[in-house]
Amino acid sequence: MPRQLGDLEDAVMTRVWQWNRPVTVREVLEDLQQERSIAYTTVMTVMDNLHQKGWVRREVDGRAYRYTAVSTRAAYSAALMNEAWSQSDNPAAALVAFFGMMSAEQREALQDAVRMVSPNLAETAPGPTAETIPGSPAEPTAGADGDDVPTDDATPESGR
């Protein structure tokens, strides 16, 4: 699992992700120098460290390397969330707390994401749906058998 990037590593990776092309130490250095004073060797060391950690790959280009991101920032963020969640002694409680910290926009983005993967979730295993995400307008209640069953569906004719 990935560990969180340091501030300078994050600043370098942000450029690699944004530019979405092979970059040199010199290009990253020149961009970083617009914000702070930093040495070429410092940026070179950071990029080498990112290569050693597996976040970038590099190819020789003349006397320099060109660095390319191995994964997207979204994949990196997802891996960090998964790592934090898997280390919890109570994953369900951790998710509830996480959902409670979300803004309305973040909850909406989560609901959109769940809708996008819902067909895949149904094929593999039971999981959350847009209707079961905290803060969602339509939160079903659990039926006696443990299934999520809206209360208005529990009629004598349905056998439940």
Side-chain angles (χ1 to χ4, degrees):
M1 284 290 163
R3 67 171 188 76
Q4 190 170 4
L5 296 175
D7 290 339
L8 186 52
E9 288 176 327
D10 185 61
V12 169
M13 283 305 301
T14 295
R15 281 145 180 90
V16 175
W17 281 318
Q18 286 175 340
W19 296 340
N20 197 27
R21 61 172 173 77
V23 299
T24 64
V25 171
R26 175 81 47 208
E27 290 174 306
V28 174
L29 170 71
E30 290 172 359
D31 199 60
L32 286 170
Q33 285 179 332
Q34 295 176 21
E35 300 171 3
R36 62 178 104 177
S37 177
I38 191 165
Y40 179 91
T41 54
T42 301
V43 177
M44 183 175 65
T45 299
V46 168
M47 294 186 83
D48 184 60
N49 289 344
L50 291 168
H51 175 257
Q52 296 300 319
K53 292 177 183 180
W55 284 108
V56 295
R57 69 176 156 263
R58 65 185 180 195
E59 296 176 8
V60 176
D61 183 13
R63 292 180 15 170
Y65 286 113
R66 288 207 174 265
Y67 294 84
T68 307
V70 171
S71 66
T72 65
R73 180 167 215 129
Y76 171 76
S77 297
L80 284 179
M81 289 186 286
N82 187 56
E83 180 179 11
W85 184 45
S86 67
Q87 290 178 0
S88 173
D89 61 346
N90 187 341
L95 282 176
V96 169
F98 179 64
F99 293 151
M101 294 178 205
M102 292 178 146
S103 68
E105 291 87 15
Q106 290 170 322
R107 281 193 304 274
E108 188 174 322
L110 177 61
Q111 289 172 346
D112 290 344
V114 170
R115 277 192 285 276
M116 289 185 335
V117 298
S118 286
N120 295 338
L121 289 175
E123 292 172 8
T124 57
T129 64
E131 292 78 28
T132 61
I133 295 171
S136 171
E139 266 187 74
T141 58
D145 60 359
D147 291 339
D148 286 338
V149 180
T151 55
D152 58 341
D153 283 352
T155 62
E157 297 82 34
S158 69
R160 291 190 173 213

